C-alpha cells in the first residue's frame, strides 16, 4: 500500500458510520452481511448505508457479491491488512518493545482456520 491509498482508506474510515460498518463487517467474518442487516446494526437508513458502503468500496476496504437478490458486503481483509502493515512498516527503529502491544493484539485474532485475512 502506498501513501495515496492509505490516505484514501483513512479518509473513508474518518466517519463514524463508515468506521462502524467496517468493524461490523470485520466481526461478521468472510461470510459478510447484507446491507439491510448492516443498516440495522449501525442504526442508519438503507440509503445512508448504501452511500457509506460505496465510499468504503471505492477506498478498497469493502467487497461485495451478489447472492440471489441480495448484495452481501464483507471486509476486504487484504486491504485492511495492508493498511496495518503501512502503519507498522517502519515500526520500532531498533526498539521492538514499542511494537509488542500491536503485534500481540494482531496475534490474538480469532480468525477461523483457512480464513483469508492475510491473503
Amino acid at each position: 500500500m502506498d501513501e495515496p491509498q492509505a490516505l484514501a482508506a483513512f479518509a473513508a474510515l474518518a466517519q463514524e458510520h463508515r468506521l462502524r460498518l467496517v468493524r461490523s463487517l470485520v466481526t461478521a467474518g468472510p461470510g459478510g452481511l447484507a446491507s439491510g442487516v448492516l443498516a440495522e446494526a449501525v442504526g442508519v437508513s438503507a440509503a445512508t448505508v448504501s452511500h457509506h458502503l460505496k465510499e468504503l468500496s471505492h477506498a478498497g476496504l469493502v467487497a461485495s457479491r451478489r447472492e440471489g437478490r441480495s448484495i452481501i458486503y464483507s471486509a476486504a481483509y487484504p486491504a485492511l491488512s495492508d493498511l496495518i502493515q503501512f502503519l507498522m512498516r517502519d515500526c520500532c527503529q531498533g526498539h521492538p518493545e514499542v511494537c509488542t502491544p500491536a503485534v500481540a493484539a494482531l496475534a490474538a485474532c480469532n480468525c477461523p482456520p483457512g480464513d483469508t485475512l492475510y491473503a
Side-chain angles (χ1 to χ4, degrees):
M1 176 170 287
D2 60 18
E3 191 170 290
Q5 291 169 316
L7 286 169
F10 284 122
L13 291 170
Q15 199 284 338
E16 90 180 273
H17 294 122
R18 290 195 285 265
L19 181 60
R20 288 180 187 169
L21 286 167
V22 169
R23 292 189 76 199
S24 293
L25 290 171
V26 167
T27 301
L33 296 169
S35 61
V37 174
L38 284 166
E40 188 176 313
V42 175
V44 297
S45 70
T48 300
V49 83
S50 176
H51 164 75
H52 290 309
L53 288 167
K54 182 182 79 170
E55 293 296 318
L56 290 165
S57 179
H58 283 296
L61 301 175
V62 171
S64 63
R65 68 183 183 281
R66 183 166 291 280
E67 283 188 7
R69 295 176 59 187
S70 297
I71 297 177
I72 305 299
Y73 294 89
S74 57
Y77 291 105
L80 293 169
S81 178
D82 286 349
L83 187 58
I84 293 167
Q85 288 177 28
F86 174 84
L87 286 174
M88 303 299 289
R89 183 176 300 140
D90 301 319
C91 182
C92 304
Q93 298 290 317
H95 302 280
E97 68 278 2
V98 173
C99 296
T100 300
V103 172
L106 290 172
C109 176
N110 292 322
C111 301
D115 199 353
T116 57
L117 181 60
Y118 299 105

PDB file of all heavy atoms in Angstrom, residues 53-85:
ATOM      1  N   LEU A  53     -21.286   2.461   2.166  1.00  0.00           N
ATOM      2  CA  LEU A  53     -20.653   1.263   1.606  1.00  0.00           C
ATOM      3  C   LEU A  53     -19.978   1.571   0.273  1.00  0.00           C
ATOM      4  O   LEU A  53     -18.912   1.034  -0.029  1.00  0.00           O
ATOM      5  CB  LEU A  53     -21.676   0.138   1.458  1.00  0.00           C
ATOM      6  CG  LEU A  53     -22.126  -0.499   2.774  1.00  0.00           C
ATOM      7  CD1 LEU A  53     -23.355  -1.367   2.548  1.00  0.00           C
ATOM      8  CD2 LEU A  53     -20.990  -1.300   3.411  1.00  0.00           C
ATOM      9  N   LYS A  54     -20.585   2.465  -0.507  1.00  0.00           N
ATOM     10  CA  LYS A  54     -19.980   2.871  -1.769  1.00  0.00           C
ATOM     11  C   LYS A  54     -18.646   3.569  -1.514  1.00  0.00           C
ATOM     12  O   LYS A  54     -17.646   3.294  -2.182  1.00  0.00           O
ATOM     13  CB  LYS A  54     -20.920   3.789  -2.547  1.00  0.00           C
ATOM     14  CG  LYS A  54     -20.372   4.226  -3.902  1.00  0.00           C
ATOM     15  CD  LYS A  54     -21.315   5.159  -4.613  1.00  0.00           C
ATOM     16  CE  LYS A  54     -21.108   6.523  -3.984  1.00  0.00           C
ATOM     17  NZ  LYS A  54     -21.722   7.636  -4.632  1.00  0.00           N
ATOM     18  N   GLU A  55     -18.601   4.435  -0.522  1.00  0.00           N
ATOM     19  CA  GLU A  55     -17.359   5.137  -0.182  1.00  0.00           C
ATOM     20  C   GLU A  55     -16.289   4.159   0.295  1.00  0.00           C
ATOM     21  O   GLU A  55     -15.127   4.266  -0.084  1.00  0.00           O
ATOM     22  CB  GLU A  55     -17.626   6.201   0.899  1.00  0.00           C
ATOM     23  CG  GLU A  55     -18.480   7.345   0.438  1.00  0.00           C
ATOM     24  CD  GLU A  55     -17.838   8.163  -0.661  1.00  0.00           C
ATOM     25  OE1 GLU A  55     -16.626   8.440  -0.585  1.00  0.00           O
ATOM     26  OE2 GLU A  55     -18.559   8.525  -1.617  1.00  0.00           O
ATOM     27  N   LEU A  56     -16.687   3.211   1.125  1.00  0.00           N
ATOM     28  CA  LEU A  56     -15.739   2.206   1.616  1.00  0.00           C
ATOM     29  C   LEU A  56     -15.254   1.304   0.487  1.00  0.00           C
ATOM     30  O   LEU A  56     -14.086   0.912   0.452  1.00  0.00           O
ATOM     31  CB  LEU A  56     -16.380   1.381   2.735  1.00  0.00           C
ATOM     32  CG  LEU A  56     -16.613   2.139   4.042  1.00  0.00           C
ATOM     33  CD1 LEU A  56     -17.567   1.358   4.936  1.00  0.00           C
ATOM     34  CD2 LEU A  56     -15.295   2.431   4.735  1.00  0.00           C
ATOM     35  N   SER A  57     -16.140   1.005  -0.439  1.00  0.00           N
ATOM     36  CA  SER A  57     -15.774   0.184  -1.583  1.00  0.00           C
ATOM     37  C   SER A  57     -14.769   0.912  -2.472  1.00  0.00           C
ATOM     38  O   SER A  57     -13.783   0.328  -2.932  1.00  0.00           O
ATOM     39  CB  SER A  57     -17.025  -0.190  -2.370  1.00  0.00           C
ATOM     40  OG  SER A  57     -16.689  -0.971  -3.480  1.00  0.00           O
ATOM     41  N   HIS A  58     -15.000   2.199  -2.709  1.00  0.00           N
ATOM     42  CA  HIS A  58     -14.070   2.996  -3.522  1.00  0.00           C
ATOM     43  C   HIS A  58     -12.687   3.059  -2.878  1.00  0.00           C
ATOM     44  O   HIS A  58     -11.681   3.132  -3.588  1.00  0.00           O
ATOM     45  CB  HIS A  58     -14.609   4.410  -3.750  1.00  0.00           C
ATOM     46  CG  HIS A  58     -15.698   4.486  -4.776  1.00  0.00           C
ATOM     47  ND1 HIS A  58     -15.505   4.175  -6.094  1.00  0.00           N
ATOM     48  CD2 HIS A  58     -16.994   4.827  -4.653  1.00  0.00           C
ATOM     49  CE1 HIS A  58     -16.647   4.332  -6.755  1.00  0.00           C
ATOM     50  NE2 HIS A  58     -17.569   4.714  -5.899  1.00  0.00           N
ATOM     51  N   ALA A  59     -12.648   3.020  -1.553  1.00  0.00           N
ATOM     52  CA  ALA A  59     -11.363   3.040  -0.844  1.00  0.00           C
ATOM     53  C   ALA A  59     -10.736   1.653  -0.784  1.00  0.00           C
ATOM     54  O   ALA A  59      -9.627   1.493  -0.287  1.00  0.00           O
ATOM     55  CB  ALA A  59     -11.555   3.593   0.565  1.00  0.00           C
ATOM     56  N   GLY A  60     -11.462   0.634  -1.278  1.00  0.00           N
ATOM     57  CA  GLY A  60     -10.936  -0.725  -1.310  1.00  0.00           C
ATOM     58  C   GLY A  60     -11.051  -1.478  -0.002  1.00  0.00           C
ATOM     59  O   GLY A  60     -10.451  -2.536   0.157  1.00  0.00           O
ATOM     60  N   LEU A  61     -11.859  -0.973   0.934  1.00  0.00           N
ATOM     61  CA  LEU A  61     -11.965  -1.589   2.257  1.00  0.00           C
ATOM     62  C   LEU A  61     -13.116  -2.568   2.390  1.00  0.00           C
ATOM     63  O   LEU A  61     -13.191  -3.328   3.349  1.00  0.00           O
ATOM     64  CB  LEU A  61     -12.090  -0.503   3.334  1.00  0.00           C
ATOM     65  CG  LEU A  61     -10.927   0.481   3.398  1.00  0.00           C
ATOM     66  CD1 LEU A  61     -11.223   1.580   4.405  1.00  0.00           C
ATOM     67  CD2 LEU A  61      -9.634  -0.248   3.740  1.00  0.00           C
ATOM     68  N   VAL A  62     -14.027  -2.552   1.414  1.00  0.00           N
ATOM     69  CA  VAL A  62     -15.214  -3.403   1.448  1.00  0.00           C
ATOM     70  C   VAL A  62     -15.384  -4.066   0.088  1.00  0.00           C
ATOM     71  O   VAL A  62     -15.188  -3.427  -0.950  1.00  0.00           O
ATOM     72  CB  VAL A  62     -16.474  -2.565   1.795  1.00  0.00           C
ATOM     73  CG1 VAL A  62     -17.741  -3.361   1.618  1.00  0.00           C
ATOM     74  CG2 VAL A  62     -16.384  -2.035   3.218  1.00  0.00           C
ATOM     75  N   ALA A  63     -15.724  -5.328   0.112  1.00  0.00           N
ATOM     76  CA  ALA A  63     -16.017  -6.074  -1.114  1.00  0.00           C
ATOM     77  C   ALA A  63     -17.503  -6.433  -1.108  1.00  0.00           C
ATOM     78  O   ALA A  63     -18.135  -6.487  -0.048  1.00  0.00           O
ATOM     79  CB  ALA A  63     -15.166  -7.337  -1.181  1.00  0.00           C
ATOM     80  N   SER A  64     -18.059  -6.685  -2.282  1.00  0.00           N
ATOM     81  CA  SER A  64     -19.465  -7.086  -2.352  1.00  0.00           C
ATOM     82  C   SER A  64     -19.617  -8.212  -3.358  1.00  0.00           C
ATOM     83  O   SER A  64     -18.809  -8.370  -4.265  1.00  0.00           O
ATOM     84  CB  SER A  64     -20.339  -5.894  -2.758  1.00  0.00           C
ATOM     85  OG  SER A  64     -20.000  -5.440  -4.044  1.00  0.00           O
ATOM     86  N   ARG A  65     -20.676  -8.987  -3.132  1.00  0.00           N
ATOM     87  CA  ARG A  65     -21.006 -10.062  -4.057  1.00  0.00           C
ATOM     88  C   ARG A  65     -22.521 -10.239  -4.042  1.00  0.00           C
ATOM     89  O   ARG A  65     -23.181  -9.932  -3.047  1.00  0.00           O
ATOM     90  CB  ARG A  65     -20.299 -11.363  -3.664  1.00  0.00           C
ATOM     91  CG  ARG A  65     -20.776 -11.976  -2.375  1.00  0.00           C
ATOM     92  CD  ARG A  65     -19.987 -13.225  -1.980  1.00  0.00           C
ATOM     93  NE  ARG A  65     -20.520 -13.828  -0.790  1.00  0.00           N
ATOM     94  CZ  ARG A  65     -20.320 -13.420   0.442  1.00  0.00           C
ATOM     95  NH1 ARG A  65     -19.560 -12.360   0.678  1.00  0.00           N
ATOM     96  NH2 ARG A  65     -20.855 -14.048   1.473  1.00  0.00           N
ATOM     97  N   ARG A  66     -23.046 -10.715  -5.143  1.00  0.00           N
ATOM     98  CA  ARG A  66     -24.484 -10.942  -5.239  1.00  0.00           C
ATOM     99  C   ARG A  66     -24.797 -12.377  -4.836  1.00  0.00           C
ATOM    100  O   ARG A  66     -24.143 -13.311  -5.279  1.00  0.00           O
ATOM    101  CB  ARG A  66     -24.965 -10.673  -6.663  1.00  0.00           C
ATOM    102  CG  ARG A  66     -26.471 -10.820  -6.804  1.00  0.00           C
ATOM    103  CD  ARG A  66     -26.979 -10.244  -8.088  1.00  0.00           C
ATOM    104  NE  ARG A  66     -26.904  -8.801  -8.168  1.00  0.00           N
ATOM    105  CZ  ARG A  66     -27.788  -7.966  -7.610  1.00  0.00           C
ATOM    106  NH1 ARG A  66     -28.769  -8.444  -6.887  1.00  0.00           N
ATOM    107  NH2 ARG A  66     -27.668  -6.674  -7.765  1.00  0.00           N
ATOM    108  N   GLU A  67     -25.784 -12.523  -3.987  1.00  0.00           N
ATOM    109  CA  GLU A  67     -26.319 -13.838  -3.615  1.00  0.00           C
ATOM    110  C   GLU A  67     -27.815 -13.770  -3.821  1.00  0.00           C
ATOM    111  O   GLU A  67     -28.530 -13.193  -3.002  1.00  0.00           O
ATOM    112  CB  GLU A  67     -25.982 -14.181  -2.159  1.00  0.00           C
ATOM    113  CG  GLU A  67     -24.563 -14.618  -1.948  1.00  0.00           C
ATOM    114  CD  GLU A  67     -24.304 -15.127  -0.532  1.00  0.00           C
ATOM    115  OE1 GLU A  67     -25.271 -15.275   0.259  1.00  0.00           O
ATOM    116  OE2 GLU A  67     -23.134 -15.367  -0.225  1.00  0.00           O
ATOM    117  N   GLY A  68     -28.259 -14.324  -4.926  1.00  0.00           N
ATOM    118  CA  GLY A  68     -29.679 -14.237  -5.264  1.00  0.00           C
ATOM    119  C   GLY A  68     -30.056 -12.792  -5.515  1.00  0.00           C
ATOM    120  O   GLY A  68     -29.455 -12.122  -6.340  1.00  0.00           O
ATOM    121  N   ARG A  69     -31.011 -12.294  -4.759  1.00  0.00           N
ATOM    122  CA  ARG A  69     -31.460 -10.911  -4.913  1.00  0.00           C
ATOM    123  C   ARG A  69     -30.752  -9.966  -3.955  1.00  0.00           C
ATOM    124  O   ARG A  69     -30.999  -8.766  -3.974  1.00  0.00           O
ATOM    125  CB  ARG A  69     -32.965 -10.847  -4.709  1.00  0.00           C
ATOM    126  CG  ARG A  69     -33.719 -11.604  -5.797  1.00  0.00           C
ATOM    127  CD  ARG A  69     -35.196 -11.629  -5.572  1.00  0.00           C
ATOM    128  NE  ARG A  69     -35.744 -10.280  -5.513  1.00  0.00           N
ATOM    129  CZ  ARG A  69     -36.984 -10.000  -5.197  1.00  0.00           C
ATOM    130  NH1 ARG A  69     -37.821 -10.967  -4.901  1.00  0.00           N
ATOM    131  NH2 ARG A  69     -37.407  -8.758  -5.159  1.00  0.00           N
ATOM    132  N   SER A  70     -29.888 -10.502  -3.105  1.00  0.00           N
ATOM    133  CA  SER A  70     -29.197  -9.678  -2.103  1.00  0.00           C
ATOM    134  C   SER A  70     -27.761  -9.395  -2.517  1.00  0.00           C
ATOM    135  O   SER A  70     -27.139 -10.176  -3.229  1.00  0.00           O
ATOM    136  CB  SER A  70     -29.162 -10.409  -0.761  1.00  0.00           C
ATOM    137  OG  SER A  70     -30.460 -10.617  -0.275  1.00  0.00           O
ATOM    138  N   ILE A  71     -27.259  -8.275  -2.048  1.00  0.00           N
ATOM    139  CA  ILE A  71     -25.840  -7.977  -2.173  1.00  0.00           C
ATOM    140  C   ILE A  71     -25.246  -8.133  -0.782  1.00  0.00           C
ATOM    141  O   ILE A  71     -25.735  -7.543   0.184  1.00  0.00           O
ATOM    142  CB  ILE A  71     -25.592  -6.565  -2.720  1.00  0.00           C
ATOM    143  CG1 ILE A  71     -26.169  -6.459  -4.129  1.00  0.00           C
ATOM    144  CG2 ILE A  71     -24.099  -6.245  -2.716  1.00  0.00           C
ATOM    145  CD1 ILE A  71     -26.047  -5.091  -4.743  1.00  0.00           C
ATOM    146  N   ILE A  72     -24.227  -8.970  -0.709  1.00  0.00           N
ATOM    147  CA  ILE A  72     -23.561  -9.250   0.556  1.00  0.00           C
ATOM    148  C   ILE A  72     -22.240  -8.491   0.577  1.00  0.00           C
ATOM    149  O   ILE A  72     -21.461  -8.569  -0.372  1.00  0.00           O
ATOM    150  CB  ILE A  72     -23.316 -10.768   0.741  1.00  0.00           C
ATOM    151  CG1 ILE A  72     -24.621 -11.552   0.593  1.00  0.00           C
ATOM    152  CG2 ILE A  72     -22.632 -11.049   2.066  1.00  0.00           C
ATOM    153  CD1 ILE A  72     -25.695 -11.203   1.610  1.00  0.00           C
ATOM    154  N   TYR A  73     -22.010  -7.776   1.644  1.00  0.00           N
ATOM    155  CA  TYR A  73     -20.783  -6.998   1.805  1.00  0.00           C
ATOM    156  C   TYR A  73     -19.887  -7.689   2.810  1.00  0.00           C
ATOM    157  O   TYR A  73     -20.358  -8.270   3.789  1.00  0.00           O
ATOM    158  CB  TYR A  73     -21.120  -5.584   2.286  1.00  0.00           C
ATOM    159  CG  TYR A  73     -21.886  -4.802   1.259  1.00  0.00           C
ATOM    160  CD1 TYR A  73     -23.284  -4.840   1.225  1.00  0.00           C
ATOM    161  CD2 TYR A  73     -21.226  -4.042   0.302  1.00  0.00           C
ATOM    162  CE1 TYR A  73     -23.988  -4.140   0.269  1.00  0.00           C
ATOM    163  CE2 TYR A  73     -21.931  -3.341  -0.659  1.00  0.00           C
ATOM    164  CZ  TYR A  73     -23.302  -3.395  -0.673  1.00  0.00           C
ATOM    165  OH  TYR A  73     -23.998  -2.711  -1.633  1.00  0.00           O
ATOM    166  N   SER A  74     -18.598  -7.622   2.565  1.00  0.00           N
ATOM    167  CA  SER A  74     -17.632  -8.178   3.503  1.00  0.00           C
ATOM    168  C   SER A  74     -16.417  -7.263   3.574  1.00  0.00           C
ATOM    169  O   SER A  74     -16.154  -6.475   2.662  1.00  0.00           O
ATOM    170  CB  SER A  74     -17.224  -9.599   3.089  1.00  0.00           C
ATOM    171  OG  SER A  74     -16.708  -9.597   1.781  1.00  0.00           O
ATOM    172  N   ALA A  75     -15.701  -7.384   4.670  1.00  0.00           N
ATOM    173  CA  ALA A  75     -14.473  -6.618   4.838  1.00  0.00           C
ATOM    174  C   ALA A  75     -13.454  -7.107   3.825  1.00  0.00           C
ATOM    175  O   ALA A  75     -13.350  -8.300   3.563  1.00  0.00           O
ATOM    176  CB  ALA A  75     -13.945  -6.795   6.262  1.00  0.00           C
ATOM    177  N   ALA A  76     -12.715  -6.191   3.257  1.00  0.00           N
ATOM    178  CA  ALA A  76     -11.629  -6.543   2.334  1.00  0.00           C
ATOM    179  C   ALA A  76     -10.385  -6.749   3.200  1.00  0.00           C
ATOM    180  O   ALA A  76      -9.578  -5.841   3.387  1.00  0.00           O
ATOM    181  CB  ALA A  76     -11.426  -5.458   1.295  1.00  0.00           C
ATOM    182  N   TYR A  77     -10.275  -7.953   3.744  1.00  0.00           N
ATOM    183  CA  TYR A  77      -9.199  -8.246   4.696  1.00  0.00           C
ATOM    184  C   TYR A  77      -7.803  -7.952   4.156  1.00  0.00           C
ATOM    185  O   TYR A  77      -6.975  -7.399   4.890  1.00  0.00           O
ATOM    186  CB  TYR A  77      -9.306  -9.692   5.186  1.00  0.00           C
ATOM    187  CG  TYR A  77     -10.499  -9.929   6.065  1.00  0.00           C
ATOM    188  CD1 TYR A  77     -11.615 -10.602   5.586  1.00  0.00           C
ATOM    189  CD2 TYR A  77     -10.523  -9.462   7.371  1.00  0.00           C
ATOM    190  CE1 TYR A  77     -12.723 -10.812   6.383  1.00  0.00           C
ATOM    191  CE2 TYR A  77     -11.628  -9.664   8.182  1.00  0.00           C
ATOM    192  CZ  TYR A  77     -12.726 -10.345   7.687  1.00  0.00           C
ATOM    193  OH  TYR A  77     -13.822 -10.545   8.472  1.00  0.00           O
ATOM    194  N   PRO A  78      -7.501  -8.281   2.904  1.00  0.00           N
ATOM    195  CA  PRO A  78      -6.156  -7.948   2.409  1.00  0.00           C
ATOM    196  C   PRO A  78      -5.870  -6.443   2.461  1.00  0.00           C
ATOM    197  O   PRO A  78      -4.775  -6.032   2.831  1.00  0.00           O
ATOM    198  CB  PRO A  78      -6.159  -8.476   0.975  1.00  0.00           C
ATOM    199  CG  PRO A  78      -7.154  -9.590   0.996  1.00  0.00           C
ATOM    200  CD  PRO A  78      -8.235  -9.104   1.940  1.00  0.00           C
ATOM    201  N   ALA A  79      -6.855  -5.617   2.119  1.00  0.00           N
ATOM    202  CA  ALA A  79      -6.656  -4.168   2.158  1.00  0.00           C
ATOM    203  C   ALA A  79      -6.490  -3.682   3.593  1.00  0.00           C
ATOM    204  O   ALA A  79      -5.653  -2.816   3.872  1.00  0.00           O
ATOM    205  CB  ALA A  79      -7.822  -3.451   1.495  1.00  0.00           C
ATOM    206  N   LEU A  80      -7.279  -4.227   4.510  1.00  0.00           N
ATOM    207  CA  LEU A  80      -7.142  -3.841   5.917  1.00  0.00           C
ATOM    208  C   LEU A  80      -5.787  -4.269   6.465  1.00  0.00           C
ATOM    209  O   LEU A  80      -5.133  -3.526   7.204  1.00  0.00           O
ATOM    210  CB  LEU A  80      -8.284  -4.442   6.747  1.00  0.00           C
ATOM    211  CG  LEU A  80      -9.669  -3.869   6.431  1.00  0.00           C
ATOM    212  CD1 LEU A  80     -10.749  -4.699   7.108  1.00  0.00           C
ATOM    213  CD2 LEU A  80      -9.761  -2.411   6.853  1.00  0.00           C
ATOM    214  N   SER A  81      -5.345  -5.446   6.069  1.00  0.00           N
ATOM    215  CA  SER A  81      -4.030  -5.921   6.474  1.00  0.00           C
ATOM    216  C   SER A  81      -2.940  -5.016   5.905  1.00  0.00           C
ATOM    217  O   SER A  81      -1.985  -4.657   6.607  1.00  0.00           O
ATOM    218  CB  SER A  81      -3.839  -7.362   5.990  1.00  0.00           C
ATOM    219  OG  SER A  81      -2.565  -7.826   6.323  1.00  0.00           O
ATOM    220  N   ASP A  82      -3.087  -4.624   4.644  1.00  0.00           N
ATOM    221  CA  ASP A  82      -2.121  -3.713   4.028  1.00  0.00           C
ATOM    222  C   ASP A  82      -2.070  -2.369   4.747  1.00  0.00           C
ATOM    223  O   ASP A  82      -1.004  -1.774   4.899  1.00  0.00           O
ATOM    224  CB  ASP A  82      -2.455  -3.479   2.557  1.00  0.00           C
ATOM    225  CG  ASP A  82      -2.133  -4.664   1.669  1.00  0.00           C
ATOM    226  OD1 ASP A  82      -1.457  -5.610   2.135  1.00  0.00           O
ATOM    227  OD2 ASP A  82      -2.576  -4.645   0.504  1.00  0.00           O
ATOM    228  N   LEU A  83      -3.229  -1.894   5.196  1.00  0.00           N
ATOM    229  CA  LEU A  83      -3.281  -0.626   5.916  1.00  0.00           C
ATOM    230  C   LEU A  83      -2.520  -0.722   7.242  1.00  0.00           C
ATOM    231  O   LEU A  83      -1.750   0.173   7.600  1.00  0.00           O
ATOM    232  CB  LEU A  83      -4.734  -0.208   6.151  1.00  0.00           C
ATOM    233  CG  LEU A  83      -4.975   1.164   6.752  1.00  0.00           C
ATOM    234  CD1 LEU A  83      -4.368   2.266   5.883  1.00  0.00           C
ATOM    235  CD2 LEU A  83      -6.475   1.393   6.929  1.00  0.00           C
ATOM    236  N   ILE A  84      -2.713  -1.828   7.947  1.00  0.00           N
ATOM    237  CA  ILE A  84      -1.981  -2.039   9.200  1.00  0.00           C
ATOM    238  C   ILE A  84      -0.488  -2.151   8.917  1.00  0.00           C
ATOM    239  O   ILE A  84       0.332  -1.546   9.625  1.00  0.00           O
ATOM    240  CB  ILE A  84      -2.513  -3.291   9.928  1.00  0.00           C
ATOM    241  CG1 ILE A  84      -3.945  -3.049  10.400  1.00  0.00           C
ATOM    242  CG2 ILE A  84      -1.601  -3.668  11.100  1.00  0.00           C
ATOM    243  CD1 ILE A  84      -4.674  -4.290  10.841  1.00  0.00           C
ATOM    244  N   GLN A  85      -0.132  -2.878   7.875  1.00  0.00           N
ATOM    245  CA  GLN A  85       1.285  -3.001   7.517  1.00  0.00           C
ATOM    246  C   GLN A  85       1.874  -1.646   7.144  1.00  0.00           C
ATOM    247  O   GLN A  85       3.027  -1.353   7.488  1.00  0.00           O
ATOM    248  CB  GLN A  85       1.459  -3.989   6.362  1.00  0.00           C
ATOM    249  CG  GLN A  85       1.242  -5.424   6.770  1.00  0.00           C
ATOM    250  CD  GLN A  85       1.362  -6.373   5.587  1.00  0.00           C
ATOM    251  OE1 GLN A  85       2.068  -6.087   4.626  1.00  0.00           O
ATOM    252  NE2 GLN A  85       0.662  -7.491   5.654  1.00  0.00           N
TER     253      GLN A  85
END
